[in-house]
Amino acid sequence: KAGVTQTPRYLIKTRGQQVTLSCSPISGHRSVSWYQQTPGQGLQFLFEYFSETQRNKGNFPGRFSGRQFSNSRSEMNVSTLELGDSALYLCASSLGGPPYEQYFGPGTRLTVT
Amino acid sequence: GIQVEQSPPDLILQEGANSTLRCNFSDSVNNLQWFHQNPWGQLINLFYIPSGTKQNGRLSATTVATERYSLLYISSSQTTDSGVYFCAYYNQGGKLIFGQGTELSVKP
């Protein structure tokens, strides 16, 4: 089975711009979760989508949004980028129910200048 | 929420040495996972281990849910074992909550 894929792998944006990241889950997985990793805050949960609906949400501002398509692929959007949004963004897929084991993609490294 | 404490925060080993990484929780947790983050940032699943002991090659893990801890054993370490090891648990609804990680460096 193919693993979780994320595109693009690297991205450089300017403050104020917006960005869209993409995640394709493992075939058969219906849940996609997004995480942000920074040196200061570690790995933090952004949100989870299951069957095209946001099921869980972390403590991030509304500039961070996402969606999921009928084929379970998910996109994450960050609007009005700030320097502090520079991070590694990881997505993970799972079946969405027990067992809850998640499998991670390689990540998108976003740099905001 | 439940606090996750990983120890040690950093570890330097000589190739061939054994090590034990620990994850403590402030309360009982369900559905714990161990990950290895390689130098390129990818999180690799090591174990999904709600309880009991599992082994995979040179790695093994034990979770004692009633005592609120989990251990990851690495035997005969290799330079490719270098990276950051995370434990994480699933809170209500299936969010993964991560510890701060143990950074392992294996020297040749």
Side-chain angles (χ1 to χ4, degrees), chain B residues 6-87:
Chain B
Q6 287 191 243
S7 60
D10 303 281
L11 187 58
I12 299 174
L13 296 175
Q14 208 63 36
E15 201 168 26
N18 303 328
S19 63
T20 301
L21 280 57
R22 188 178 180 102
C23 190
N24 287 334
F25 302 93
S26 58
D27 203 345
S28 296
V29 299
N30 297 316
N31 305 310
L32 185 142
Q33 266 190 266
W34 281 95
F35 297 92
H36 173 217
Q37 188 167 39
N38 65 23
W40 298 271
Q42 173 128 31
L43 274 171
I44 299 162
N45 287 34
L46 296 177
F47 296 100
Y48 177 74
I49 183 165
S51 63
T53 298
K54 289 187 177 180
Q55 180 153 9
N56 185 4
R58 296 181 296 104
L59 273 59
S60 65
T62 295
T63 295
V64 184
T66 53
E67 298 292 322
R68 306 195 302 269
Y69 72 88
S70 184
L71 302 173
L72 177 69
Y73 305 95
I74 304 174
S75 64
S76 305
S77 57
Q78 301 174 358
T79 56
T80 52
D81 294 332
S82 296
V84 184
Y85 290 80
F86 291 99
C87 64

Side-chain angles (χ1 to χ4, degrees), chain A residues 2-91:
Chain A
V4 179
T5 59
Q6 290 187 246
T7 57
R9 294 293 310 279
Y10 302 92
L11 207 48
I12 300 175
K13 290 287 189 178
T14 304
R15 265 182 305 175
Q17 288 185 316
Q18 73 166 14
V19 66
T20 299
L21 312 181
S22 180
C23 174
S24 292
I26 291 170
S27 177
H29 283 188
R30 296 169 63 192
S31 168
V32 173
S33 298
W34 289 89
Y35 296 83
Q36 181 197 65
Q37 186 177 26
T38 59
Q41 299 298 317
L43 278 152
Q44 293 186 289
F45 173 81
L46 280 155
F47 32 64
E48 181 212 7
Y49 284 86
F50 179 79
S51 293
E52 301 179 65
T53 301
Q54 188 180 84
R55 188 163 70 169
N56 284 297
K57 189 176 187 305
N59 296 322
F60 279 81
R63 300 185 297 106
F64 292 82
S65 63
R67 58 178 175 168
Q68 187 180 34
F69 302 94
S70 58
N71 62 358
S72 294
R73 188 177 71 87
S74 177
E75 288 182 347
M76 189 190 93
N77 184 273
V78 187
S79 62
T80 320
L81 284 165
E82 300 177 359
L83 294 178
D85 296 332
S86 294
L88 179 65
Y89 290 88
L90 293 159
C91 84

Side-chain angles (χ1 to χ4, degrees), chain A residues 87-108:
Chain A
L88 179 65
Y89 290 88
L90 293 159
C91 84
S93 78
S94 72
L95 293 171
Y100 292 101
E101 189 171 9
Q102 295 189 5
Y103 297 85
F104 282 79
T108 294

